[in-house]
């Protein structure tokens, strides 16, 4: 197990190094930040001084090494626009995205897995057809459109739910959270629903496919022959047998939503990371973009590692194999 | 006075599967009885309906399958038509089933102890500690060394033979009156097959459990069964006391099966295989289903022969039963 973790950490280090090069070069290609930093009418000397101050006159590889050196020390630089350290900026926005993402992914899983299992258990029932219809809808309708629809119906027409901002927050561990207040929860509802629809569809599909396969297997036959109740068969045997793909998708969806909740955050003016990153792209705030992309890479590597470790916890057959 | 009611009484049982291509008659009117503690061998080639018979008895036929006719009585109590919950409380408690491949039947991601606890709790309110104690007892009874420690192991940590012992221990947890063993040794090494066979024989003998031992292999059946029923295309074509059926087979199909056993033929001789294949269960020919492969077949075989029994209970479904073999 320890060997497995060390091996995975080394791998993660390599991937991070490669990612930092890609990110750096990629962002370099986006445009010249000097145009953003300075007003067009400053004189040439100030212009050159600023370029030198940010190290933008050096060769690309030198700029990268400087950047990598700072990265290793956890220094992502300062935002060109806000003038504050980039990490502070990102972490000030992260809780908003984090709580929204967690709410969406957890709700989608807690709802989607039982629904999908039912649809796999009774594939021909009317309820199962309805469930699968919802899942097809969740896959095919674009997120932004659903978001607008939600705002229109619940925010504008019925006026039962707020359709923007975080609402009241409360402090936990020195961080502001919306989910701790009733008002904040109400504000979370629509954007979380918007985010979770696609995930719900995916969880339903996964759970259904897995359940259908397992139900025909000998494990279920043997459990039934021993007189187990259907709910025990489903809740203990089947759920555990289909858990691995579900955990995988949970992890990846959590990561991708945390990183790319852009559309929903924009529609609902949710002050999270997605909104920050869209703004930073519009303003060519290079340090923010770079830091964000590096953190996203880091996030995914971490999630993959956690998912792999969860596999080992879920499936005893993988434990020995992993250690070797 | 009258003889005690048999433990299991199956009469004219028919189990069909509805499919797009028609009605598949997997089991088509079979009857047999089983006394307490009796071991019956149910033999026949692949697809003859042995497993479906087993599942029909424990009420585990799911759509598109259905029990189309007949009756299954356990201790005089009719099981056909009972509701799902009543059948569930019976399964695993009064009738248990063991399957071919323990690698597939045991859940790979649950520990043996957990799986045994689930089976215990399906029928009884048992505490964790009690479940543990009884599971250890059951494992020890089937010859698993160091049972207390192995309880927390997972199926992949056992060898093939040990895994099947675990499955058998699970089947014995509630001390059922009847065990249906569906080819429980087929997936195992030959040397281990013999061990498991011997142990199962002892276990059922000690506990007075009746058993239906399903196999396509007459040789294994001969060493465990008191009586034998031979199935062909969903019907029983011959049945009776084991020594009668094996020693003096009367149906040409049984004779063919016996001649294809390696140990029974003189060493060096070519094993006789029954030529041809079983007809499709979707479109069974009228009359004897075996006649197309039968060297004794005559025109009369186009009519279905009745199952006729001798006074010793040796029954055969054939117009031209063989006499005094061997
Ligand atoms: N769930 C099912 N749906 C449709 N047909 C089925 C189903 N289960 C069994 N059958 C059919 O019933 C027939 C008898 O099958 P069964 O499994 O009882 O054979 P068997 O004698 O146990 O053979 P084997 O030695 O291969 O296990 C086969 O033709 C099979 O295809
Ligand atoms: Mg079978």
């Amino acid at each position: 197990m320890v060997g497995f973790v060390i091996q995975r950490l080394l791998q993660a280090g390599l991937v991070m190094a490669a990612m930092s090069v890609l990110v750096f070069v990629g962002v370099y290609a986006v445009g010249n930040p000097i145009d953003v930093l300075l007003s067009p009418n400053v004189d040439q000397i100030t212009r050159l001084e600023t370029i030198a101050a940010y190290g933008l006159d050096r060769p690309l590889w030198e700029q990268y090494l400087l950047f990598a050196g700072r990265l290793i020390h956890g220094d992502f630089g300062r935002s060109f626009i806000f003038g504050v350290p980039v990490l502070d900026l990102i972490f000030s926005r992260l809780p908003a995205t984090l709580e929204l993402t967690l709410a969406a992914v957890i709700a989608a899983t807690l709802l989607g897995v039982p629904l999908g299992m039912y649809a796999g258990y009774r594939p021909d029932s009317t309820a199962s057809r309805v469930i699968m219809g919802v899942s097809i809808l969740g896959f095919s309708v674009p997120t932004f459109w659903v978001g607008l629809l939600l705002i229109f119906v619940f925010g504008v027409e019925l006026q039962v739910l707020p359709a923007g901002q975080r609402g009241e927050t409360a402090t936990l561990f020195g961080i502001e959270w919306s989910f701790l207040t009733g008002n904040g929860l109400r504000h979370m509802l629509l954007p979380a629903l918007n985010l979770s629809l696609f995930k719900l569809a995916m969880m339903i599909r996964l759970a259904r496919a897995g359940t259908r396969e397992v139900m025909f297997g000998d494990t279920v036959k043997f459990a039934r022959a021993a007189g187990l109740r259907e709910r025990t068969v489903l809740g203990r045997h089947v759920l555990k047998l289909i858990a691995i793909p579900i955990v995988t998708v949970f992890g990846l969806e959590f990561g991708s939503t945390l990183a790319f909740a852009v559309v929903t955050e924009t529609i609902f003016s949710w002050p999270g990371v997605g909104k920050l990153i869209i703004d930073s792209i519009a303003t060519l705030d290079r340090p923010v973009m770079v830091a964000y992309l590096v953190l996203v890479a880091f996030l995914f590597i971490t999630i993959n590692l956690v998912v792999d470790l969860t596999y080992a916890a879920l499936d005893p057959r993988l434990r020995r194999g992993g250690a070797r | 006075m009258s003889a005690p009611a048999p433990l299991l009484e199956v009469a004219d049982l028919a189990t069909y599967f509805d499919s797009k291509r028609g009605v598949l008659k997997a089991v088509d009117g079979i009857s047999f009885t089983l006394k307490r503690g009796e071991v019956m061998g149910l033999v026949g080639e692949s697809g003859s309906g042995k497993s479906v018979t087993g599942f029909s008895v424990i009420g585990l036929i799911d759509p598109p399958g259905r029990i189309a006719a007949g009756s299954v009585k356990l201790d005089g109590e009719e099981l056909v038509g009972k509701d799902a919950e009543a059948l569930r409380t019976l399964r695993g408690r009064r009738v248990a089933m063991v399957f071919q491949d323990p690698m597939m039947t045991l859940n790979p991601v649950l520990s043996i102890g957990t799986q045994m606890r689930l089976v215990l709790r399906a029928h009884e309110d048992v505490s964790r500690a009690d479940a543990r104690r009884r599971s250890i007892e059951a494992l020890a009874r089937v010859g698993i060394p160091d049972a207390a420690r192995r309880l927390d192991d997972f199926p992949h940590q056992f060898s093939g033979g040990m895994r099947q012992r675990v499955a058998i221990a699970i089947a014995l947890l509630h001390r059922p009156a009847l065990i249906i063993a569906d080819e429980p040794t087929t997936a195992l090494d030959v040397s281990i097959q013999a061990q498991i066979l011997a142990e199962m024989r002892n276990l059922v003998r000690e506990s007075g459990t009746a058993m239906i031992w399903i196999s396509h292999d007459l040789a294994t059946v001969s060493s465990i069964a008191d009586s034998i029923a031979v199935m062909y295309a969903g019907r029983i074509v011959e049945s009776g006391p084991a020594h009668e059926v094996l020693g003096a087979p009367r149906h040409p199909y049984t004779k063919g099966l016996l001649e294809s056993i390696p140990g029974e033929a003189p060493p060096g001789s070519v094993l006789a295989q029954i030529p041809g294949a079983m007809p499709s269960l979707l479109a069974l020919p009228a009359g004897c289903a075996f006649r197309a492969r039968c060297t004794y077949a005559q025109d009369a075989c186009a009519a279905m022969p009745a199952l006729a029994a001798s006074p010793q209970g040796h029954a055969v479904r054939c117009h031209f039963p063989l006499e005094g073999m061997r």
Side-chain angles (χ1 to χ4, degrees):
Chain A
M1 202 66 190
V2 177
F4 170 68
V5 173
I6 290 174
Q7 181 201 336
R8 290 306 307 262
L9 285 177
L10 285 177
Q11 258 178 28
L14 278 178
V15 174
M16 278 309 296
M19 268 308 294
S20 72
V21 174
L22 280 179
V23 166
F24 187 78
V25 173
V27 171
Y28 192 87
V30 169
N32 191 346
I34 283 301
D35 304 335
V36 185
L37 283 170
L38 299 174
S39 63
N41 48 12
V42 295
D43 58 71
Q44 194 59 16
I45 295 170
T46 321
R47 192 176 166 80
L48 288 178
E49 274 175 356
T50 313
I51 289 177
Y54 282 98
L56 296 171
D57 54 342
R58 316 229 187 140
L60 189 56
W61 63 269
E62 224 182 296
Q63 287 190 40
Y64 171 74
L65 286 185
L66 283 172
F67 159 76
R70 287 197 306 269
L71 263 195
I72 289 172
H73 295 103
D75 175 10
F76 286 85
R78 280 170 179 273
S79 160
F80 289 166
I81 307 297
F82 299 97
V84 296
V86 169
L87 273 191
D88 293 356
L89 191 62
I90 290 181
F91 282 121
S92 74
R93 299 288 200 97
L94 197 57
T97 303
L98 190 65
E99 64 179 344
L100 193 61
T101 303
L102 275 178
V105 181
I106 290 176
T109 308
L110 290 186
L111 207 64
V113 170
L115 286 178
M117 284 180 73
Y118 181 81
Y121 177 67
R122 291 255 177 272
D124 297 322
S125 73
T126 315
S128 298
R129 287 178 211 283
V130 173
I131 293 169
M132 291 323 287
V134 169
S135 128
I136 290 170
L137 216 65
F139 269 124
S140 42
V141 182
T143 303
F144 78 89
W145 189 79
V146 174
L148 293 177
L149 195 72
L150 288 174
I151 291 178
F152 180 73
V153 173
F154 294 100
V156 181
E157 282 295 311
L158 301 175
Q159 304 216 343
V160 285
L161 285 171
Q165 304 299 331
R166 284 183 82 183
E168 288 165 21
T169 57
T171 311
L172 182 70
F173 307 125
I175 300 170
E176 300 285 313
W177 303 98
S178 290
F179 77 93
L180 294 174
T181 70
N183 177 277
L185 267 181
R186 281 164 52 80
H187 277 80
M188 268 174 81
L189 207 59
L190 286 185
L193 187 65
N194 188 208
L195 271 182
S196 67
L197 218 57
F198 180 83
K199 296 168 222 319
L200 178 72
M202 192 128 81
M203 286 296 177
I204 288 177
R205 290 260 137 171
L206 269 180
R208 182 183 114 108
T211 304
R212 288 213 69 176
E213 196 181 314
V214 171
M215 282 318 287
F216 287 112
D218 283 355
T219 301
V220 166
K221 236 184 247 165
F222 187 58
R224 282 177 165 166
L228 264 60
R229 291 177 183 85
E230 289 296 285
R231 86 177 110 86
T232 316
V233 172
L234 285 170
R236 299 302 306 269
H237 283 288
V238 178
L239 183 61
K240 198 89 197 274
L241 283 168
I242 65 171
I244 281 193
I246 288 172
V247 166
T248 312
V249 168
F250 183 95
L252 295 180
E253 277 300 305
F254 172 67
S256 65
T257 311
L258 198 54
F260 310 114
V262 179
V263 174
T264 299
E265 289 190 356
T266 308
I267 293 176
F268 289 91
S269 356
W270 190 263
V273 188
K275 193 119 189 335
L276 173 70
I277 210 61
I278 280 292
D279 295 345
S280 74
I281 291 172
T283 56
L284 286 185
D285 196 346
R286 192 190 282 187
V288 176
M289 282 189 269
V290 170
Y292 174 73
L293 291 175
V294 170
L295 286 178
V296 166
F298 182 71
L299 174 72
F300 271 91
I301 289 166
T302 312
I303 286 175
N304 267 321
L305 188 65
V306 171
V307 166
D308 279 353
L309 293 177
T310 315
Y311 285 176
L314 284 174
D315 191 338
R317 289 168 297 183
L318 299 175
R319 279 174 217 162
R320 286 177 174 171
R324 256 183 255 126
Chain B
M1 283 255 310
S2 64
L7 175 69
L8 181 73
E9 198 170 7
V10 174
D12 303 317
L13 178 71
T15 305
Y16 297 164
F17 290 91
D18 296 315
S19 78
K20 287 194 190 74
R21 292 181 300 139
V23 179
L24 186 146
K25 300 182 173 177
V27 170
D28 197 12
I30 65 169
S31 306
F32 60 86
T33 57
L34 210 60
K35 294 196 287 282
R36 265 166 214 296
E38 179 181 347
V39 177
M40 181 181 99
L42 187 59
V43 295
E45 64 195 299
S46 189
S48 54
K50 308 181 297 289
S51 298
V52 172
T53 302
F55 284 121
S56 301
V57 168
I58 61 170
L60 265 187
I61 298 290
D62 289 326
R66 64 194 156 93
I67 293 185
S71 117
V72 175
K73 284 191 179 137
L74 185 70
D75 264 333
E77 181 187 352
E78 179 62 56
L79 304 188
V80 174
K82 255 193 189 313
D83 66 70
E85 176 59 15
L87 286 170
R88 180 195 73 74
T89 59
L90 204 124
R91 280 198 294 271
R93 193 168 55 85
R94 292 170 65 196
V95 186
M97 198 153 172
V98 180
F99 296 93
Q100 182 170 338
D101 190 350
M103 197 62 198
M104 309 295 290
T105 50
L106 296 175
N107 189 333
V109 295
L110 292 179
S111 72
I112 297 304
T114 305
Q115 300 189 48
M116 297 185 89
R117 191 175 66 242
L118 292 179
V119 172
L120 281 169
R121 287 195 175 159
H123 303 292
E124 284 173 50
D125 228 351
V126 277
S127 71
R128 213 166 241 270
D130 273 351
R132 214 180 154 80
R133 185 182 48 74
R134 281 172 65 179
S135 301
I136 293 170
E137 271 171 29
L139 290 177
R141 206 176 331 142
V142 296
I144 290 179
D146 208 1
R149 200 179 48 77
R150 309 266 2 220
L151 205 57
D152 297 317
D153 283 353
F154 290 85
H156 73 278
Q157 291 165 301
F158 291 80
S159 67
M162 284 297 162
R163 259 198 299 272
Q164 193 59 295
R165 285 191 175 88
V166 171
I168 293 166
I170 291 178
L172 291 173
L173 271 175
H174 292 282
R175 301 193 175 263
L178 171 64
I179 291 184
I180 300 171
D182 192 349
E183 312 208 28
T185 60
T186 309
L188 304 176
D189 287 349
V190 178
S191 58
I192 296 169
Q193 281 188 11
Q195 274 179 30
I196 297 270
L197 188 74
E199 279 168 24
M200 289 266 317
R201 189 172 45 208
N202 292 338
L203 281 169
V204 294
R205 205 166 278 165
E206 279 167 21
S207 53
T209 310
M211 178 156 74
I212 298 177
W213 182 278
I214 296 176
S215 176
H216 56 256
D217 176 10
L218 261 177
T220 33
V221 169
S222 66
S223 68
I224 196 167
D226 305 313
S227 64
I228 289 178
V230 181
M231 272 189 94
Y232 187 78
R235 290 204 176 85
I236 289 178
V237 293
E238 180 162 6
S239 65
H243 60 92
E244 289 250 356
V245 174
L246 294 170
R250 306 201 63 202
H251 198 285
Y253 177 64
T254 314
K255 179 173 167 254
L257 281 181
L258 278 169
E259 281 168 355
S260 60
I261 298 173
E264 305 283 312
S269 69
V270 179
L271 284 182
Q273 287 292 333
I274 305 173
M278 213 174 65
S280 161
L281 297 175
L282 284 163
L284 283 175
C288 174
F290 186 61
R291 75 174 191 276
R293 302 167 74 182
C294 183
T295 44
Y296 304 90
Q298 297 182 27
D299 291 346
C301 300
M304 175 63 72
L307 194 66
S310 75
Q312 294 79 30
H314 188 170
V316 61
R317 187 189 284 281
C318 183
H319 290 300
F320 308 101
L322 308 168
E323 299 292 342
M325 288 262 311
R326 287 195 290 178

